Amino acid sequence: MKKYILFFFFLFLLGSVYGQETATPQGGTNDNEWGFSLGILGGGELYIAEFDQFFDLESGLSLLGFYDFFLTDKFALGGNVNIAFPSQEFLGETITFYELALALKVKFELSPTLSYKPGFNLGYRLIASDDLDTIQGLGLNLTNELQLDISESFKPFVDLGFITQPAGGNDDFNTTFSPLLVLRIGIVFN
């Protein structure tokens, strides 16, 4: 896990240097973006330290809304709201993830009609269930948007990334989980 975090940290350092070198000249404009996506949060394992046990987390629906403020033509600071509905066998019910996150994104123009926008998100997550006290956690997430530039006002995209919770819990349990894959499709507006 540490290798992945270091790799993506390096990627963003590289991207921020790239973004600074291609900054908009004074008086130019940066197009800020906002959008939403819908997809599937993959399954995985939820670890509860007090039981020293892993519990299966089944896949579920994932919704994401975001706003990206471009500081340069290629580097954005943004925010997002993520809601996901995985199910958990131990509880026998669907649980809900709510997350508010800050995002750093770099935009690479692969061709005149195709852009790649990786993003690193640092978030505050709440995990809610009817049978448990709300769990609070640190969300470390990665997004990888592949945008199709077909219009000046909107762009469809595919996002393949992951969400993880390296720290979290409530008064009763310390709860973490390793990366869970997320696949979403969405639309971006300028």
Side-chain angles (χ1 to χ4, degrees), residues 3 11 23 28 40-41 70 75 77 89 91 99-101 116-117 123 138 144 159 180:
K3 288 188 259 182
L11 176 69
I40 298 293
L41 172 66
F70 279 86
F75 186 73
L77 176 65
E89 285 183 12
L91 298 173
E99 184 173 350
L100 185 60
Y116 171 59
K117 194 165 75 168
L138 170 67
N144 288 289
D159 176 16
L180 305 175

Side-chain angles (χ1 to χ4, degrees), residues 40-41 141-145 159-163 179-184:
I40 298 293
L41 172 66
N141 309 329
L142 175 72
T143 58
N144 288 289
E145 296 174 23
D159 176 16
L160 177 64
F162 68 80
I163 70 170
L180 305 175
L181 283 176
V182 181
L183 176 62
R184 300 182 193 104

Side-chain angles (χ1 to χ4, degrees), residues 80-82 97-102 121-127 134-141 164-165 167-169:
N80 65 55
V81 175
N82 185 16
F97 291 179
Y98 301 98
E99 184 173 350
L100 185 60
L102 293 174
N121 304 289
L122 177 65
Y124 173 71
R125 180 176 296 127
L126 297 175
I127 301 175
T134 299
I135 295 169
Q136 301 176 44
L138 170 67
L140 295 177
N141 309 329
T164 185
Q165 183 168 306

Side-chain angles (χ1 to χ4, degrees), residues 1-20:
M1 178 68 176
K2 289 180 184 178
K3 288 188 259 182
Y4 293 116
I5 292 173
L6 289 174
F7 172 76
F8 290 113
F9 180 70
F10 175 75
L11 176 69
F12 285 106
L13 286 178
L14 182 65
S16 65
V17 169
Y18 170 73
Q20 292 299 322

Side-chain angles (χ1 to χ4, degrees), residues 29-169:
T29 61
N30 292 322
D31 288 331
N32 298 323
E33 297 179 342
W34 64 275
F36 57 89
S37 60
L38 173 68
I40 298 293
L41 172 66
E45 293 182 329
L46 181 73
Y47 179 72
I48 299 180
E50 286 70 19
F51 296 142
D52 192 24
Q53 189 173 353
F54 290 92
F55 296 93
D56 287 334
L57 196 61
E58 301 298 325
S59 61
L61 184 67
S62 176
L63 305 164
L64 179 77
F66 64 90
Y67 183 85
D68 295 331
F69 176 77
F70 279 86
L71 302 172
T72 70
D73 285 346
K74 305 294 180 192
F75 186 73
L77 176 65
N80 65 55
V81 175
N82 185 16
I83 300 173
F85 305 96
S87 60
Q88 207 292 315
E89 285 183 12
F90 176 70
L91 298 173
E93 66 178 60
T94 299
I95 57 178
T96 306
F97 291 179
Y98 301 98
E99 184 173 350
L100 185 60
L102 293 174
L104 299 173
K105 294 184 180 180
V106 181
K107 189 170 188 176
F108 299 96
E109 302 291 335
L110 302 178
S111 75
T113 59
L114 191 63
S115 299
Y116 171 59
K117 194 165 75 168
F120 178 75
N121 304 289
L122 177 65
Y124 173 71
R125 180 176 296 127
L126 297 175
I127 301 175
S129 164
D130 291 338
D131 294 336
L132 288 177
D133 290 337
T134 299
I135 295 169
Q136 301 176 44
L138 170 67
L140 295 177
N141 309 329
L142 175 72
T143 58
N144 288 289
E145 296 174 23
L146 197 57
Q147 297 180 348
L148 186 59
D149 299 331
I150 59 172
S151 169
E152 289 187 24
S153 58
F154 71 93
K155 301 170 196 165
F157 70 91
V158 174
D159 176 16
L160 177 64
F162 68 80
I163 70 170
T164 185
Q165 183 168 306

